[in-house]
Amino acid sequence: MNADRRTQAERSAATRQALITAGRRLFGELGYAEVSTVAITHAAGVSRGAMYHQFTDKRDLFEAVVEDVEHDLVGRISSAVSKSGFTDPIDNLVVGCLAWLDASTEPEVQRIALLDAPAVLGWDRWREIELRHTIGRLEASLSAAAKAGRIRTQPIRPLALVIVGALDEAALYIARFGRTPEEERNVRSVIEQLISGLATEA
């Protein structure tokens, strides 16, 4: 019986992941308003009943997709910092913020995380999710930098939110005016200067 339960749990998890994967692709390509539950279930290869067994409605599925995107963003940021080999907290902050910027300029991430999420989930719920993922990762990095004496002691959350605002605007700027090499270099330079400007003397 335990084996049966595990099999059922595995099937349920596979169905849930298929819906999240399909929803993420469709929401990223078309936007939340243009995607129907029929399209999602068809793309996932499951019945509508199976979808409603996993999620109460399309909004509930979209929230799971936002969580999935945010989780991936944290993984990409952490991977970039780890691969950089830097030990200085300021260098790591620069690398992490630039990795976040790069990811945020991708159409799927931009559509889901920056444009649709606050409108569909509401600002408070959207921010709550970010605080558990990307903003939380940034706060931890800023706290580590402050503890190491590389930035002045100051309220971490307001600082993190100001940086996030700059990153979001930078990503939207690149999307609006085209990802030309010159524009990308200019925006990346601004972000590097913003983060480096937080540093105390080494």
Side-chain angles (χ1 to χ4, degrees):
M1 186 170 293
N2 287 338
D4 290 341
R5 285 202 192 99
R6 283 197 299 272
T7 300
Q8 184 177 0
E10 288 168 359
R11 286 199 300 268
S12 179
T15 298
R16 182 180 179 85
Q17 187 55 55
L19 286 162
I20 290 172
T21 300
R24 179 168 172 169
R25 178 174 62 80
L26 291 171
F27 290 140
E29 289 178 0
L30 305 174
Y32 178 84
E34 300 301 318
V35 178
S36 68
T37 56
V38 173
I40 295 169
T41 54
H42 179 74
V46 304
S47 68
R48 292 188 72 193
M51 174 182 166
Y52 289 116
H53 181 72
Q54 298 291 332
F55 303 100
T56 56
D57 52 22
K58 187 175 78 165
R59 182 190 176 283
D60 191 30
L61 170 58
F62 180 76
E63 182 170 324
V65 168
V66 174
E67 292 269 8
D68 193 59
V69 170
E70 287 283 324
H71 181 268
D72 283 354
L73 282 174
V74 171
R76 292 173 65 172
I77 293 166
S78 298
S79 177
V81 171
S82 178
K83 289 178 180 177
S84 73
F86 291 134
T87 57
D88 181 67
I90 294 296
D91 290 335
N92 284 330
L93 275 166
V94 170
V95 170
C97 286
L98 290 178
W100 190 345
L101 175 64
D102 289 342
S104 296
T105 59
E106 295 173 4
E108 179 188 77
V109 175
Q110 194 170 100
R111 167 63 70 179
I112 293 171
L114 294 183
L115 299 177
D116 282 351
V120 175
L121 303 180
W123 192 91
D124 289 339
R125 183 59 179 156
W126 170 57
R127 183 44 49 87
E128 180 185 333
I129 293 171
E130 285 199 318
L131 286 170
R132 286 191 281 103
H133 294 285
T134 45
I135 296 177
R137 174 71 168 77
L138 177 58
E139 286 182 334
S141 297
L142 289 168
S143 295
K147 187 174 181 180
R150 293 295 285 123
I151 64 174
R152 294 187 304 277
T153 300
Q154 57 190 294
I156 294 299
R157 177 150 296 177
L159 177 59
L161 295 179
V162 168
I163 293 172
V164 169
L167 290 171
D168 288 350
E169 285 299 320
L172 292 171
Y173 176 84
I174 290 174
R176 181 175 180 182
F177 293 101
R179 298 188 62 176
T180 65
E182 181 180 6
E183 287 296 341
E184 287 201 47
R185 282 195 301 271
N186 290 342
V187 172
R188 290 172 68 88
S189 176
V190 168
I191 295 301
E192 288 184 35
Q193 291 179 60
L194 176 66
I195 303 303
S196 297
L198 298 173
T200 59
E201 291 187 7

